[in-house]
Amino acid sequence: MSTAAITHAAPTSAHTSRIFRKETKYEFLKLIRTRSFSLATIGFPVMFYVLFGIANRNTYEGNVHIAKYMLGGYACFGLIGAALFGIGVGLSSDIAAGWLELKRASPMPVSAYLFAKCASAIAFGLIIVTILTIIGTSFGGVHLSASELIRMYGMTAVGSVCFASMGLFIALLVPANAAPGIINLIYLPMSFLSGLWVPLRFMPHWLQHIAPALPTYHLAQLMLSIFHYNDSISLVTHWNALIGFALVMLGLSWLVFHRKEQNA
């Protein structure tokens, strides 16, 4: 009696690409339909910019248009929030519910799951920047060239990826029920101290000296450099600080994940 051999065809690149697209699509739809996430993530930076940015539509500090300056700040504030909450809270909840284990047991590559999380964070960041830009140009007297807008979108994607690494580390480190509170305790002070809400020049000098130690500050300066509103520090320094921060977060995430795997 002979038995037929069962073979599984290796996945093609088209099949793998389809998996990545579908996973990203459904992750984005899940987040957009979760109103507690989508409304808060998009609503807070928009609300703050309307309250503080539009109110300064006729205010200049030297050659710096404050409404335009704050457009860059609140764009960073919004994209960081989307990355931290979308991945930090979302992944932490998936781990607690056992959803990540189910995903790992399925034929779907784990990289597709992480890609979908990161791509969705980028998408929310782009939505936030688009809404802020429309508000700023329509009601805040902000003038943006096509080049500036494209560079803002590019910086949004880069910033989202960098802070997604921080969200990954938090998700692996803290339990799901504590993740939102921990993220707020980190995210809000860092945003304020980096000048994302109020230009640093209006803050006490001792607070201004803290800002360069924060990754949010370096992201903000790279975003503001699009408008030539950045500080006197070299842009290479800001890039190195931001990339170094992302690599450290990824390295720590790997260590935590590896230790959990050993203890499992």
Side-chain angles (χ1 to χ4, degrees), residues 245-259:
F245 162 75
L247 293 176
V248 168
M249 289 292 105
L250 289 174
L252 292 174
S253 298
W254 182 86
L255 288 174
V256 173
F257 180 77
H258 186 64
R259 177 169 295 183

Side-chain angles (χ1 to χ4, degrees), residues 108-183:
M108 185 195 77
V110 177
S111 56
Y113 173 82
L114 295 175
F115 177 84
K117 292 281 187 187
C118 193
S120 296
I122 293 173
F124 269 88
L126 294 175
I127 290 171
I128 291 166
V129 170
T130 299
I131 294 173
L132 291 175
T133 300
I134 292 172
I135 294 173
T137 53
S138 300
F139 306 105
V142 174
H143 300 283
L144 285 179
S145 66
S147 173
E148 288 176 330
L149 182 58
I150 291 171
R151 291 167 65 191
M152 281 186 72
Y153 283 148
M155 201 66 239
T156 298
V158 171
S160 298
V161 171
C162 289
F163 282 90
S165 65
M166 184 178 184
L168 175 62
F169 176 59
I170 293 172
L172 293 172
L173 195 64
V174 302
N177 59 350
I182 295 295
I183 289 174

Side-chain angles (χ1 to χ4, degrees), residues 7-105:
T7 59
H8 296 277
T12 63
S13 58
H15 178 67
T16 302
S17 176
R18 187 163 60 251
I19 291 173
F20 274 69
R21 289 198 306 270
K22 284 190 174 182
E23 187 69 16
T24 302
K25 172 186 175 182
Y26 293 128
E27 176 65 23
F28 178 77
L29 288 175
K30 182 189 77 173
L31 291 178
I32 205 74
R33 290 171 179 172
T34 306
R35 294 184 180 180
S36 59
F37 172 82
S38 58
L39 292 180
T41 302
I42 298 173
F44 275 115
V46 170
M47 177 184 68
F48 287 147
Y49 186 62
V50 169
L51 291 175
F52 303 112
I54 302 304
N56 289 285
R57 59 185 176 274
N58 297 320
T59 304
Y60 287 81
E61 181 72 17
N63 64 339
V64 176
H65 185 197
I66 299 301
K68 190 172 184 178
Y69 182 103
M70 297 181 81
L71 171 62
Y74 282 113
C76 292
F77 177 67
L79 73 89
I80 293 169
L84 290 182
F85 284 97
I87 295 177
V89 177
L91 178 56
S92 182
S93 299
D94 287 351
I95 293 173
W99 186 242
L100 184 59
E101 289 298 319
L102 179 63
K103 291 275 190 179
R104 293 178 64 191

